[in-house]
Amino acid sequence: MATNTSVTPSSEIAPLIQKRLRDFNTVWKMRLFFLKRLPSCWFWGIRVDACDTNTCVVSMPYRWATQNPFRSTYFAALSGAAELSTGTLALLALTGKGKISMLITGFEAKFIKKADTRTTFTCNAGAEIYAAVDQAIATGTGQEVTVLTTGRNTRGDVVCEMRLTWSFRKKA
């Protein structure tokens, strides 16, 4: 699970990672990316609030597009925001390292409280993701890592915890 270990990219790829971080932290660039590659994130109004090599914070509004008939946030929208909070760190870990496939191979969700306000997901697993990617490159075999992202409402209460298992494999 998440640790306080931070990631220090090698000097060759550090500029590439810094550029990608600037893109992740620029609202209009992310909205354009969502419109082109992840239209559901664009439709739901998901945004990347903050991102560095170890932590990603993603939030999603509570509005008509994310609401279910029970006046809470639809689980699929919550799952999309949770995936983005972990997937953004995975994309950073892959930056400048060649052709590597990434795929979610497992997903577990625990819904604790009704999500009826903006929900903010925080994933602090950058170090674990980077380690799995580096091991996949070094060994040439697929590597899996399970990471936790926690969703909180505007009052700071935990509304859900989601564990996503990412698989990384160097392409031939």
Side-chain angles (χ1 to χ4, degrees):
M1 291 302 141
T3 65
N4 290 332
T5 308
S6 62
V7 177
T8 306
S10 68
S11 59
E12 305 87 51
I13 62 171
L16 297 172
I17 289 176
Q18 290 305 316
K19 181 190 180 315
R20 184 160 269 182
L21 279 171
R22 281 192 304 274
D23 291 347
F24 286 157
N25 288 298
T26 304
V27 174
W28 71 268
K29 286 185 179 182
M30 285 308 295
R31 286 189 179 153
L32 189 60
F33 174 76
F34 290 157
L35 189 58
K36 184 177 179 183
R37 301 284 176 136
L38 296 167
S40 59
C41 287
W42 177 82
F43 178 73
W44 288 327
I46 294 173
R47 68 179 185 212
V48 176
D49 293 332
C51 187
D52 61 33
T53 56
N54 197 56
T55 301
C56 185
V57 180
V58 170
S59 67
M60 180 183 50
Y62 175 70
R63 61 181 193 178
W64 71 271
T66 60
Q67 196 177 105
N68 64 26
F70 310 108
R71 295 192 181 128
S72 63
T73 305
Y74 182 47
F75 83 94
L78 290 170
S79 299
E83 179 186 356
L84 184 65
S85 71
T86 63
T88 302
L89 293 172
L91 286 173
L92 278 174
L94 298 177
T95 300
K97 295 185 179 173
K99 293 184 178 185
I100 302 164
S101 66
M102 60 185 264
L103 179 68
I104 292 179
T105 58
F107 182 87
E108 178 186 333
K110 181 177 179 186
F111 300 98
I112 299 163
K113 210 170 200 181
K114 190 173 188 173
D116 57 4
T117 66
R118 175 174 286 280
T119 304
T120 302
F121 286 90
T122 304
C123 180
N124 298 310
E128 291 85 354
I129 293 170
Y130 272 79
V133 168
D134 290 344
Q135 191 171 5
I137 293 168
T139 64
T141 61
Q143 299 296 316
E144 287 190 342
V145 61
T146 300
V147 296
L148 171 70
T149 185
T150 304
R152 295 181 184 274
N153 62 20
T154 56
R155 296 177 294 281
D157 302 327
V158 174
V159 295
C160 59
E161 294 176 339
M162 300 195 185
R163 286 179 171 71
L164 290 92
T165 302
W166 284 96
S167 174
F168 301 99
R169 186 178 54 83
K170 187 175 180 178
K171 293 182 180 179

